[in-house]
Amino acid sequence: MRCPHCGCRDNHVVDTRSTGQGQAVRRRRECKECRGRFTTYEYIQERPLRVLKARGDSEDFERAKLVRSIQVACAKRPVSPSTIDAIAGNIQYTLTVEGGGEVRSSRIGEMVMEALKPLDRVAYVRFASVYRNFQDIQEFQEMIADLNLRRERSLRARDQVELPI
């Protein structure tokens, strides 16, 4: 590391701290030549995440675009902005951890649907209707019927009482 005061490359670290929720390391350094102090930051150089679209083209992953699509589905629903941000953050984190650098847009859509399903059924249906691109009302009705059937099974299982042996 070169000293910004005198240009000397001989320095030592005086203090090290984690910053930005662990996203960076801040180092306070002192030049051995001029005794000047300066700060450096180390960041992880992440590979950019690319989204492979259904049409075959690809584009950079944009968290803001993901958040907007979830916001549209959750419009006028009791879903807080912090919950929407948490969903987007969890999806982005999962995609980054899985690695590969490229992810299919269909994978992202499925992840959003899985996050919305237990959260708000109306938001789930809204997102699914756009994501799955229903061509007729029959497809839409089948999805609603499946959702109702799953909910009914879940309620029945929850209310089931185990009998003693």
Side-chain angles (χ1 to χ4, degrees):
M1 194 63 57
R2 186 181 52 80
C3 174
H5 307 292
C6 69
C8 179
R9 292 188 180 272
D10 194 14
N11 61 67
H12 66 280
V13 175
V14 177
D15 183 40
T16 300
R17 295 183 188 182
S18 179
T19 63
Q21 297 174 322
Q23 299 295 320
V25 175
R26 175 188 176 270
R27 298 198 194 279
R28 191 75 179 136
R29 297 176 180 269
E30 182 177 66
C31 177
K32 290 185 178 179
E33 185 74 28
C34 71
R35 299 280 184 224
R37 290 191 173 202
F38 58 100
T39 303
T40 61
Y41 292 90
E42 291 180 21
Y43 298 94
I44 296 173
Q45 187 173 358
E46 296 177 3
R47 290 183 299 176
L49 193 58
R50 301 280 298 169
V51 178
L52 299 173
K53 308 296 258 181
R55 298 180 306 264
D57 57 325
S58 67
E59 62 183 41
D60 288 334
F61 174 82
E62 295 179 41
R63 181 187 169 119
K65 191 174 179 180
L66 176 61
V67 169
R68 276 192 310 273
S69 67
I70 298 170
Q71 286 172 333
V72 168
C74 295
K76 297 184 181 180
R77 299 299 304 155
V79 180
S80 70
S82 61
T83 301
I84 293 171
D85 194 53
I87 291 170
N90 289 339
I91 291 172
Q92 183 177 13
Y93 176 78
T94 301
L95 295 173
T96 303
V97 169
E98 287 177 356
E102 292 184 335
V103 63
R104 295 191 175 282
S105 60
S106 59
R107 170 86 170 107
I108 297 172
E110 293 296 329
M111 292 174 81
V112 171
M113 288 176 51
E114 285 302 312
L116 289 177
K117 187 185 280 186
L119 184 67
D120 188 283
R121 291 178 52 180
V122 172
Y124 169 78
V125 170
R126 284 179 181 168
F127 188 86
S129 67
V130 173
Y131 170 69
R132 294 221 171 114
N133 193 20
F134 295 135
Q135 298 301 313
D136 60 28
I137 192 112
Q138 183 64 33
E139 290 179 65
F140 196 76
Q141 287 174 330
E142 288 171 6
M143 190 200 64
I144 297 288
D146 182 55
L147 193 59
N148 284 334
L149 182 64
R150 288 179 189 218
R151 182 171 185 236
E152 188 177 306
R153 285 181 186 157
S154 172
L155 290 173
R156 223 180 297 140
R158 188 184 71 196
D159 293 338
Q160 190 117 26
V161 177
E162 285 191 32
L163 298 174
I165 297 182

